[in-house]
Amino acid sequence: MAEKKESALSPYADSVERTGSDIPLDQTPKSRWERSWPTIACGAGLFSDGYLNGIISPVNTFLSKVYQTEYTSSPAQKNVSAIVFAGTVVGQLVFGYTSDHWSRKWSLMLSTIILIVFAALSAGSYGAGGSVYGLFAALTAYRFFLGIGIGGEYPAGSVACAESTGELKEGHRNRWFVLFTNVQIDFGFVVSAFVGMIVVLIFGENHLRAAWRLALGLGVIPPLSLLYLRLKLKEPEEFNRERMHKFPIMLILRYYWFRLAVVSMIWFIYDFSAYSFGIYSNEWLTLILGDTAPLWKSQAWNIVLNLFYIPGAVGGSFVSDWIGPRYTLVIGVWCQCVIGFIMSGAYGQLATPHYVAAFVVVYGIFLTLGELGPGDNIGLIASKTSATCIRGQYYGIAAAMGKIGAFVGTYVFPVIQDNAPNKTRAGQDPFFVSSSLCLFSGCLALFLLPHIGQDTITKEDREFREYLEQKGYDTGLMGVKEERLS
């Protein structure tokens, strides 16, 4: 009797009784570093997405200088840029499935290895017998498989990152997710622009063959640096508690189809503009500066442009915690819409060598607002508007729709420009189209998305379990065996 009384009064009694799934995620017995580093390791791999997509802009310029009409008059000029998005879609769908059905950790490890291998192969692209067109075909093929690795970072890495933030302090969770997902993508774009300038200065414009290979080869470093950290990862606690072993497909579709459609459409619109602008920004700057300007100069202005991503992304991570991701997305995208219409109207005056600084500043503000709004928050919304058990597939489908938008944009933007009646309209029309879509996506987010708070993941899991139970699904079989027995 005395033993029972002593046990009840013990300061450790509560922790003994409340084990497994009864303990709130932010009260699990872990140090601050133990809570934080999985978020970093899971999300930071998206730096590779930013770098490997951003570096193709200067590489495209280098290839057109080296191989001239052999490159510019071939399908390779479009394919080398766009094919990575096709691979990314495949990776997002495949790894979305494996991260839910198999493992978050090992899906992430596999995607990391794919990134390392095909980043290296891209740098070493070679055509049989020295064929230039064989080289273009090899580079295109390697970029496709590279895209599959990039795609795996979304449903495996970002989803695990979102679930790991549940163990962090309330009021800081959104910023941690954004800082190690979207900010990493944007930082990758900045570094890719910086590398583009540096390799030109190192090798000179007469040795661009070495420059483009080195620029692509440096893409091996980011995933390689994360390999050990990811090997040490464990499955997220939330995933261990909520994972499914039998998926009631029709019940899941009835519950989530509409919400997934809205999130997917917003992501499609954002990537349609963001990635297309990012890839062709270097060409716009070259057009504005003229053919006589040294190549390093257009690369330097590209660095300035890409730097505008950072304040929007970092600022948006904090605003998202303060007012929520839905309202942050709407404010950002509607402000971007206004700047885009201004850019379209004033393009004739801004797009001249004399006003290149003004062009970069106004265009930079346009990019900043895009990151503060949908750039930061669409992935956050996708990761928190579904239950943990199907989050990988939900997120993968939404992100795949985004990359389809990017893929479409890289083909549509040149068509818009080629069919413009004059040079000024060729610059104006993409901004007009993008701004109109911004207005539409803001309306979708404001009126059709649910409120997303700090504890939305836990709340969503609880409500989805209740829905499944009402429909006769045995939720007692969810979670890993150890969690169910605790």
Side-chain angles (χ1 to χ4, degrees):
M1 187 75 178
E3 270 185 51
K4 288 184 180 178
K5 185 176 181 181
E6 183 181 355
S7 174
L9 295 173
S10 168
Y12 301 103
D14 189 55
S15 63
V16 171
E17 290 173 11
R18 297 175 65 193
T19 58
S21 58
D22 291 333
I23 304 175
L25 286 175
D26 58 355
Q27 294 178 27
T28 50
K30 295 181 181 179
S31 67
R32 184 170 183 175
W33 172 245
E34 287 175 319
R35 296 173 189 276
S36 304
W37 80 264
T39 303
I40 299 168
C42 290
L46 286 174
F47 175 91
S48 297
D49 181 6
Y51 180 84
L52 293 167
N53 279 310
I55 199 62
I56 207 64
S57 178
V59 165
N60 251 334
T61 304
F62 300 162
L63 290 172
S64 63
K65 296 277 187 183
V66 173
Y67 301 105
Q68 299 180 359
T69 55
E70 286 180 303
Y71 184 70
T72 55
S73 62
S74 75
Q77 185 175 27
K78 288 182 180 178
N79 292 342
V80 166
S81 299
I83 199 68
V84 72
F85 297 127
T88 302
V89 169
V90 173
Q92 287 166 334
L93 296 175
V94 170
F95 283 101
Y97 181 89
T98 61
S99 66
D100 282 341
H101 288 75
W102 176 37
S103 165
R104 302 277 202 253
K105 171 184 173 176
W106 293 109
S107 295
L108 193 57
M109 281 295 297
L110 184 56
S111 72
T112 306
I113 292 168
I114 292 172
L115 282 174
I116 294 168
V117 171
F118 286 99
L121 288 173
S122 296
S125 298
Y126 180 76
S131 166
V132 172
Y133 294 106
L135 184 154
F136 298 156
L139 180 57
T140 302
Y142 296 147
R143 292 277 298 173
F144 173 79
F145 288 105
L146 185 69
I148 293 177
I150 292 173
E153 292 288 334
Y154 283 79
S158 296
V159 162
C161 179
E163 290 164 357
S164 297
T165 61
E167 300 183 37
L168 302 175
K169 183 181 177 183
E170 188 172 336
H172 297 77
R173 293 168 185 167
N174 293 345
R175 74 189 65 167
W176 274 88
F177 176 85
V178 171
L179 288 172
F180 290 100
T181 52
N182 190 55
V183 173
Q184 295 302 309
I185 296 175
D186 292 341
F187 187 50
F189 270 102
V190 172
V191 172
S192 69
F194 186 75
V195 167
M197 184 188 74
I198 293 299
V199 294
V200 170
L201 291 173
I202 290 173
F203 294 105
E205 294 191 32
N206 294 324
H207 299 89
L208 292 178
R209 281 182 173 84
W212 75 259
R213 290 186 184 276
L214 178 61
L216 289 178
L218 290 173
V220 172
I221 296 174
L224 192 61
S225 65
L226 288 172
L227 194 61
Y228 176 74
L229 269 181
R230 290 180 166 184
L231 190 61
K232 303 292 286 182
L233 278 174
K234 295 181 180 178
E235 299 290 352
E237 186 70 26
E238 188 80 13
F239 179 63
N240 284 336
R241 296 179 180 187
E242 300 293 334
R243 70 179 301 172
M244 270 183 173
H245 303 281
K246 292 183 179 179
F247 290 77
I249 303 299
M250 293 310 298
L251 292 180
I252 293 168
L253 288 175
R254 285 175 198 154
Y255 195 81
Y256 280 119
W257 74 268
F258 180 76
R259 189 182 298 178
L260 177 58
V262 173
V263 173
S264 298
M265 195 177 299
I266 295 171
W267 209 329
F268 179 97
I269 292 169
Y270 168 67
D271 277 5
F272 176 87
S273 300
Y275 279 87
S276 304
F277 275 120
I279 286 173
Y280 292 108
S281 63
N282 206 62
E283 294 180 16
W284 269 324
L285 286 170
T286 303
L287 189 68
I288 293 167
L289 292 169
D291 295 330
T292 58
L295 188 55
W296 70 265
K297 193 171 185 179
S298 66
Q299 300 301 319
W301 277 113
N302 208 27
I303 295 172
V304 177
L305 265 182
N306 281 283
L307 280 171
F308 277 95
Y309 284 122
I310 303 300
V314 173
S317 69
F318 288 88
V319 176
S320 183
D321 267 329
W322 297 335
I323 66 174
R326 181 165 65 111
Y327 290 126
T328 306
L329 188 153
V330 172
I331 291 169
V333 82
W334 279 352
C335 289
Q336 187 185 31
C337 167
V338 172
I339 297 297
F341 281 130
I342 292 171
M343 192 84 181
S344 180
Y347 187 85
Q349 291 72 41
L350 291 172
T352 61
H354 185 67
Y355 293 110
V356 65
F359 174 88
V360 167
V361 169
V362 178
Y363 181 33
I365 293 171
F366 178 83
L367 297 177
T368 293
L369 292 168
E371 295 312 294
L372 184 144
D376 276 359
N377 293 283
I378 188 59
L380 181 58
I381 288 169
S383 68
K384 294 197 173 187
T385 52
S386 70
T388 298
C389 53
I390 51 101
R391 184 169 293 123
Q393 294 160 97
Y394 179 98
Y395 192 101
I397 292 169
M401 286 301 297
K403 283 299 182 286
I404 290 171
F407 184 77
V408 170
T410 58
Y411 282 96
V412 169
F413 270 50
V415 172
I416 292 172
Q417 292 177 307
D418 291 343
N419 287 278
N422 53 58
K423 183 179 174 181
T424 300
R425 282 286 301 278
Q428 286 178 323
D429 291 353
F431 285 99
F432 182 81
V433 170
S434 178
S435 299
S436 302
L437 291 172
C438 285
L439 182 63
F440 177 61
S441 65
C443 292
L444 288 176
L446 183 63
F447 298 114
L448 299 179
L449 287 179
H451 170 72
I452 299 163
Q454 294 285 317
D455 60 346
T456 293
I457 286 181
T458 304
K459 181 182 176 185
E460 191 69 33
D461 285 338
R462 183 176 64 250
E463 291 179 352
F464 188 59
R465 272 181 176 263
E466 291 171 357
Y467 163 78
L468 291 175
E469 288 167 359
Q470 289 170 5
K471 300 297 180 180
Y473 181 84
D474 185 3
T475 58
L477 298 175
M478 293 169 65
V480 298
K481 184 177 180 181
E482 290 79 4
E483 290 289 338
R484 295 200 303 267
L485 294 176
S486 62

